[in-house]
Amino acid sequence: MSDTFLGMPAFPQAAARAVRDRQLRANLRHATHTIRDKRARAVAELPDWAELRSAGKAIKDHTLRHLDRYLVQLEEAVTAAGGTVHWAADAEEANRIVAGLVHATGTTEVVKVKSMATQEIGLNEALAAEGVTAYETDLAELIVQLGEDRPSHILVPAIHRNRAEIREIFADRMASWGRPAPEGLTDSPAELAEAARLHLREKFLRAEVAVSGANFMVAETGTLVVVESEGNGRMCLTLPRTLISVVGIEKVVPTWRDLEVFLQLLPRSSTAERMNPYTSLWAGTTRGDGPSEFHLVLLDNGRTAALADQVGRQALRCIRCSACLNVCPVYERAGGHAYGSVYPGPIGAVLTPQLRGTASPVDASLPYASSLCGACYEVCPVAIDIPEVLVHLRERVAEQGGHPVERAAVAAAGYVLDHPAALAAAERLAGRTRALHPRRLPGPGRAWTDSRDLPEVPAEPFRDWWRRNRT
Amino acid sequence: MTSRDLILGRIRAALGDTGTVAEQPLPRRYLSAHAPADDPAALLDLLHRNLTDYRALVHRCTEAELPSRIAELLAARGSRTVAVPAGLPDGWLTAAVGVEPLPDDGSLTAARLDAVDSVVTGCALAVAETGTIVLDGGPGQGRRLLSLVPDHHLCVVRAPEQVVASVPLALPRLDPARPQTWISGPSATSDIELDRVVGVHGPRTLEVLLVTV
Amino acid sequence: MRVALFATCVNDALFPATAVATVRLLERLGVTVDFPAGQTCCGQPQYNTGYRRACEPLVRRTARAFAGYDHVVTPSGSCVAMVRDNYPRIGARAATEGRGGELTDAATALAPRVIELTEFLVDVLGVEDVGAHFPYTVTYHPSCHGLRMLGLGERPLRLLRAVKGLELVELPGAEECCGFGGTFAVKNAAVSAAMAEDKLANALGTGAQVLCGADNSCLLHLGGTLRRRGDALRPLHLAEILASTEEHPWRPS
Ligand code: SF4
């Protein structure tokens, strides 16, 4: 993934800093609670939500199970429709392919539709190194790009910014990227959106190459689907001569009909709408309408490693709706940056360690970035059991030999818990020495007693009460 | 080895464990529609409501009234120029006097369209449950940029024949070989504090004319 | 009817009053309660921290300890969820790792018989009014495992509403996690504490005297935070409220 995220502190330290940032917490709380309630209402409108959800899960599982076959079928269909398919084993290869395609057109600018895959591979940075400027055209991505910031949410990358901060970024930074912000710009969302419209329009009108991702690819028909709201996607997909779509291999679905499930699941789960304002569907190229050249770059970059894990592979069902982020109590308080990856929140905590491995401190800490409350699983439209995968990945981290103290404690507890007499003795000892127990613990226990008192240890454990009273 | 072979090989290796497990048939126990598909009047009302809910401006008229309604709506906005997709029925713009029609023969550029006030199109179909109109580049719908660049899109939907209840009923009627744009309300964004604001890059005004016989 | 009490290690060692209350409540309703002494811990803390293999002896132990009982009643939703959801997983993983079906057998034999206290009262005994008396204002925090994994739904609230003298006030944001999460509370202490703070702000805002829950691990975390802050709100397990009667009223220990 992108170098931007290397050298991140582990999640707990980054999260602790975010928790102390009052403004950030207020922004996140406001935004996540707004969308959370709306999603619940949008989903409640459909009496067959549970059936749609299990169909979505089943279609994705079926596809993953025959992924090789569907990718080959997709390749044939896209090629027959006039597109060119490229395969990229990792980020470096994908970036090289895209840069080569851009160079071949002779341009030094591309417009971009918001895409997680291109963020994951650090495409903008790679293109910049090749002398190509990539302009983000999604409003939130624009805010992030102008603010020299990092995205903190899948759907709304600038969720950590409130309107006042956005106004400031536009007023200060637009001029150095193109058309300046209008004089006297206020922080009304309508005015901010208008500023973005004006700033980007000149870029759309002159762009010769666009780069996008896709929400779905249909193997049967070679169709790509981009779901969006603002119309920047339509601009990018329609106006330039060359379109390059970089898409993860897990985004394929078998048939045209399968879209009937996902075009119901996705909008309600993500923006909480019956349908998002714009959905574009195309296969290859069309004479006289839209780009005359279309390239599809199929991206692995760790996905096949996730596919090899029987428990972890369910994360590849993800349709990036972001519902799990919006209900997550940890995300709400830690913010997206603490996850050290373009995939924050619950899905990030299970996806990133699978795509990148668990060697770095931040990646090894991600599976623990959850209280396992299960809210993410409950809302996930493709029923990814995120808590199950988190626990599974914790096992992987524990096995790679971190946490020696914890390992020793578990081993010791293992003995006591398998010997009830030893357990009773330990409980009694705790009861007899309870007057001596400190209020604050040293060492690792401090993390508990920093904000909480320890419970009072009772005079006798239940076992002893039972023996005195019932035997 | 090509990357294609490498990736396909990795996939096959990764799936080594699945061969022995029997596969369940796909459960498709969801509904094909949430609204009664056989009540055209109710469907039209639902479409009307849902379009309005996402801030499209919706009007109704009869086939006979169509030219005069189009003329009125263009006049009400003060539109001087209107892009005309190939195959738009001849009569639709006859009443719009004082409006300059720009027929698209494939040469209208985005820059030219940026200075056009309105575009009038038909559609392939409309989905009542979601308040969606679908354009597929068929006659009277035009190339995709036509309904994108002008700031005002006036779309004509013929009821009942173009109105379907739901997404599952819409897909079989659409041709995957054609590029499609599904439109549900005017351009919008939720990027500022996750609150919906109407009007970014696509047409900021979407007007839909529901035409009945 | 004779049932086994699965007290759970947390209640045994730290909250014996909850286990005692469960015994008294069940006996009052005519149930004979056994406490099989071979029981210790379900293994949830180890499992959720990534030590699946360390749970295997506990799966065997727990299944053995409760063999022969139709109902293994426990006043801890999270331990029920551990047995129901994760014991079969532990068994299945052991099988794929080539260690046979023995753990799966133990898990499938035990899992359907383990039942959370409010499930037992409402579904098996068919009671909602257990004859309790508790003259305090109470707000209820439905712990995540009970709420989402077990789907306890309205059961705890129905039981509370039937308690004489009790005034139940709704907890805003009830479905939100309190921030305990086992080792999460230590590994991500800052976020955990922030979650507790918000949960308690909601609870204190209700003006209730008692914060009721059906999982003492959450109450350990919330109660510890309350004591540190010096707030008067009293955390209390549902079993202790239901055990309280006019003749034998609950008394703060
Ligand atoms: S994991 Fe599920 S809820 Fe989260 S983004 Fe992916 S599809 Fe949506």
Side-chain angles (χ1 to χ4, degrees):
Chain A
M1 272 186 214
S2 163
D3 292 346
T4 332
F5 293 109
L6 288 182
M8 283 283 301
F11 182 84
Q13 287 78 47
R17 257 202 305 282
V19 161
R20 286 194 297 272
D21 184 338
R22 294 266 147 201
Q23 179 69 61
L24 175 67
R25 261 179 85 181
N27 293 357
L28 284 171
R29 188 182 161 78
H30 171 73
T32 55
H33 282 254
T34 304
I35 192 74
R36 204 182 279 188
D37 301 342
K38 278 196 204 158
R39 186 212 72 98
R41 284 197 297 276
V43 165
E45 273 188 15
L46 298 190
D48 57 339
W49 186 257
E51 287 77 19
L52 283 165
R53 185 173 183 249
S54 53
K57 169 180 193 268
I59 293 168
K60 284 282 185 176
D61 277 345
H62 167 83
T63 316
L64 290 171
R65 189 178 165 149
H66 305 284
L67 190 57
D68 51 341
R69 166 151 59 86
Y70 287 123
L71 287 173
V72 170
Q73 189 187 6
L74 173 76
E75 178 184 44
E76 283 164 14
V78 169
T79 310
T84 308
V85 176
H86 311 259
W87 300 70
D90 54 25
E92 198 268 313
E93 186 176 14
N95 288 332
R96 197 158 18 88
I97 293 169
V98 176
L101 292 169
V102 177
H103 284 319
T105 67
T107 184
T108 55
E109 287 183 351
V110 302
V111 284
K112 278 189 71 201
V113 192
K114 185 177 129 42
S115 126
M116 297 308 299
T118 58
Q119 281 179 22
E120 174 190 321
I121 62 177
L123 179 66
N124 292 7
E125 295 79 4
L127 287 178
E130 296 271 328
V132 175
T133 310
Y135 294 108
E136 294 291 351
T137 65
D138 168 77
L139 177 51
E141 290 293 356
L142 177 69
I143 297 164
V144 168
Q145 187 170 47
L146 293 178
E148 289 169 14
D149 201 351
R150 283 183 293 112
S152 69
H153 189 277
I154 295 176
L155 174 73
V156 198
I159 193 173
H160 56 288
R161 300 289 197 184
N162 64 22
R163 56 189 74 186
E165 295 169 287
I166 295 169
R167 191 210 75 86
E168 204 131 298
I169 292 168
F170 279 11
D172 289 353
R173 306 282 309 150
M174 269 185 173
S176 52
W177 283 80
R179 181 174 174 151
E183 282 296 315
L185 179 68
T186 76
D187 67 2
S188 104
E191 271 190 46
L192 295 171
E194 166 76 6
R197 176 185 175 94
L198 295 170
H199 178 78
L200 287 171
R201 185 138 297 222
E202 58 174 32
K203 296 195 164 47
F204 290 133
L205 294 182
R206 69 162 189 250
E208 290 175 25
V209 178
V211 176
S212 84
N215 297 91
F216 309 102
M217 307 185 282
V218 182
E220 176 186 47
T221 56
T223 305
L224 268 76
V225 183
V226 166
V227 167
E228 54 137 353
S229 298
E230 295 168 11
N232 64 308
R234 292 178 68 192
M235 291 280 179
C236 293
L237 301 172
T238 313
L239 300 187
R241 271 206 301 274
T242 302
L243 170 62
I244 305 166
S245 299
V246 182
V247 189
I249 51 174
E250 82 284 16
K251 296 275 167 236
V252 67
V253 297
T255 66
W256 178 252
R257 181 183 177 188
D258 294 328
L259 293 176
E260 73 188 18
V261 175
F262 297 106
L263 290 181
Q264 295 193 74
L265 288 175
L266 181 55
R268 289 182 197 256
S269 298
S270 79
T271 47
E273 292 163 311
R274 290 183 199 102
M275 189 61 86
N276 49 289
Y278 299 134
T279 302
S280 296
L281 304 92
W282 77 97
T285 54
T286 306
R287 259 182 91 83
D289 185 357
S292 51
E293 224 182 282
F294 171 60
H295 296 273
L296 170 61
V297 182
L298 293 173
L299 178 71
D300 179 350
N301 203 36
R303 285 160 178 76
T304 47
L307 188 66
D309 187 308
Q310 286 175 41
V311 179
R313 65 168 64 122
Q314 58 183 307
L316 297 177
R317 294 202 295 258
C318 175
I319 58 173
R320 310 277 189 268
C321 71
S322 76
C324 59
L325 279 65
N326 298 332
V327 295
C328 177
V330 178
Y331 175 85
E332 180 188 332
R333 288 161 184 92
H337 292 154
Y339 294 80
S341 146
V342 298
Y343 301 110
I347 183 58
V350 295
L351 198 57
T352 307
Q354 297 200 77
L355 296 179
R356 295 200 299 216
T358 48
S360 76
V362 63
D363 291 340
S365 69
L366 287 176
Y368 301 91
S370 166
S371 65
L372 305 179
C373 81
C376 49
Y377 177 36
E378 189 177 51
V379 297
C380 177
V382 286
I384 300 171
D385 191 339
I386 293 174
E388 183 193 10
V389 183
L390 286 167
V391 169
H392 174 71
L393 293 172
R394 290 176 185 185
E395 188 178 334
R396 192 187 286 181
V397 174
E399 271 172 5
Q400 76 195 15
H403 315 163
V405 179
E406 179 179 284
R407 182 171 280 279
V410 169
Y415 175 82
V416 174
L417 294 174
D418 208 21
H419 295 80
L423 177 62
E427 287 169 349
R428 265 171 231 140
L429 179 67
R432 277 201 299 276
T433 58
R434 66 198 178 120
L436 308 172
H437 293 175
R439 225 174 141 221
R440 285 170 200 255
L441 293 176
R446 236 191 67 193
W448 178 274
T449 55
D450 270 351
S451 69
R452 292 155 288 220
D453 277 6
L454 289 168
E456 277 204 60
V457 173
E460 70 175 355
F462 174 73
R463 257 165 227 284
D464 289 0
W465 178 90
W466 179 269
R467 192 168 302 120
R468 283 196 300 106
N469 293 282
R470 289 293 186 280
T471 52
Chain B
M1 196 198 288
T2 64
S3 292
R4 181 182 188 276
D5 294 339
L6 176 68
I7 294 170
L8 290 172
R10 283 176 183 169
I11 292 170
R12 287 171 192 139
L15 294 170
D17 64 292
T18 60
T20 52
V21 191
E23 200 168 354
Q24 306 296 319
L26 286 183
R28 291 196 193 262
R29 289 183 298 264
Y30 50 87
L31 303 172
S32 62
H34 302 89
D38 53 0
D39 184 345
L43 274 191
L44 191 61
D45 288 345
L46 183 62
L47 176 66
H48 190 146
R49 262 204 315 282
N50 284 336
L51 281 164
T52 310
D53 197 25
Y54 286 154
R55 313 222 201 142
L57 307 174
V58 186
H59 316 273
R60 294 199 192 197
C61 68
T62 63
E63 187 74 46
E65 294 163 344
L66 183 57
S68 58
R69 286 312 299 274
I70 290 177
E72 273 168 44
L73 292 171
L74 291 174
R77 264 189 73 89
S79 291
R80 315 285 318 195
T81 48
V82 57
V84 183
L88 196 80
D90 282 341
W92 284 13
L93 290 173
T94 45
V97 284
V99 177
E100 183 197 349
L102 289 164
D104 178 40
D105 55 3
S107 65
L108 282 180
T109 61
R112 177 73 188 91
L113 286 166
D114 196 31
V116 164
D117 296 322
S118 298
V119 60
V120 177
T121 74
C123 68
L125 53 77
V127 185
E129 263 181 26
T130 57
T132 304
I133 53 178
V134 180
L135 273 59
D136 71 356
Q141 299 170 50
R143 299 182 294 144
R144 283 171 283 171
L145 81 175
L146 255 69
S147 54
L148 172 63
V149 181
D151 204 16
H152 174 225
H153 178 194
L154 178 53
C155 181
V156 176
V157 179
R158 289 170 187 278
E161 64 270 28
Q162 289 189 317
V163 181
V164 300
S166 66
V167 172
L169 296 177
L171 282 162
R173 285 184 46 171
L174 293 164
D175 178 0
R178 292 171 168 279
Q180 291 167 22
T181 308
W182 295 37
I183 300 171
S184 312
S187 154
T189 181
S190 304
D191 280 353
I192 301 165
E193 300 178 8
L194 270 172
D195 242 336
R196 200 172 200 269
V197 186
V198 166
V200 201
H201 305 295
R204 284 179 292 187
T205 308
L206 172 68
E207 285 193 273
V208 181
L209 251 174
L210 304 174
V211 183
T212 46
V213 275
Chain C
M1 185 186 305
R2 176 180 288 272
V3 305
L5 171 68
F6 182 15
T8 80
C9 61
V10 166
N11 288 326
D12 178 19
L14 297 175
F15 299 95
T18 296
V20 170
T22 306
V23 172
R24 295 209 163 113
L25 168 67
L26 291 173
E27 288 177 348
R28 194 173 79 217
L29 296 168
V31 176
T32 309
V33 181
D34 286 350
F35 176 76
Q39 62 179 286
T40 57
C41 166
C42 66
Q44 180 182 201
Q46 299 86 322
Y47 185 82
N48 282 349
T49 315
Y51 297 90
R52 171 175 55 89
R53 293 290 300 269
C55 304
E56 293 182 356
L58 298 174
V59 174
R60 285 188 203 101
R61 160 167 299 282
T62 307
R64 233 180 7 250
F66 296 111
Y69 290 95
D70 288 344
H71 301 290
V72 179
V73 182
T74 174
S76 165
S78 64
C79 301
V80 178
M82 172 69 189
V83 174
R84 274 192 206 158
D85 292 355
N86 295 330
Y87 274 25
R89 282 180 183 148
I90 292 170
R93 295 280 290 163
T96 34
E97 287 162 6
R99 285 179 291 111
E102 166 245 352
L103 282 162
T104 299
D105 295 344
T108 34
L110 177 65
R113 295 182 288 120
V114 173
I115 187 163
E116 192 273 339
L117 177 63
T118 67
E119 291 177 322
F120 181 74
L121 295 172
V122 174
D123 303 349
V124 177
L125 295 186
V127 290
E128 276 178 27
D129 183 350
V130 295
H133 178 253
F134 191 79
Y136 301 93
T137 321
V138 174
T139 193
Y140 177 73
H141 167 58
S143 293
C144 302
H145 288 96
L147 185 72
R148 280 181 278 267
M149 269 141 251
L150 302 184
L152 294 184
E154 285 279 298
R155 290 182 189 85
L157 295 172
R158 271 149 61 190
L159 290 160
L160 283 170
R161 280 191 205 108
V163 174
K164 281 180 203 64
L166 185 151
E167 190 197 335
L168 185 64
V169 285
E170 195 187 322
L171 178 64
E175 72 295 338
E176 282 173 45
C177 176
C178 71
F180 174 62
T183 43
F184 173 78
V186 178
K187 283 187 191 276
N188 279 289
V191 178
S192 168
M195 287 162 69
E197 225 174 80
D198 294 343
K199 175 63 67 181
L200 289 175
N202 279 332
L204 290 163
T206 65
Q209 298 161 291
V210 171
L211 172 59
C212 173
D215 227 315
N216 270 332
S217 39
C218 302
L219 295 181
L220 174 80
H221 160 73
L222 292 173
T225 310
L226 281 167
R227 287 201 346 171
R228 172 61 54 84
R229 296 159 37 129
D231 287 314
L233 182 65
R234 163 83 199 205
L236 194 62
H237 194 284
L238 177 66
E240 295 176 58
I241 293 177
L242 298 182
S244 169
T245 59
E246 246 154 325
E247 305 78 62
H248 302 286
W250 170 78
R251 282 189 222 292
S253 46

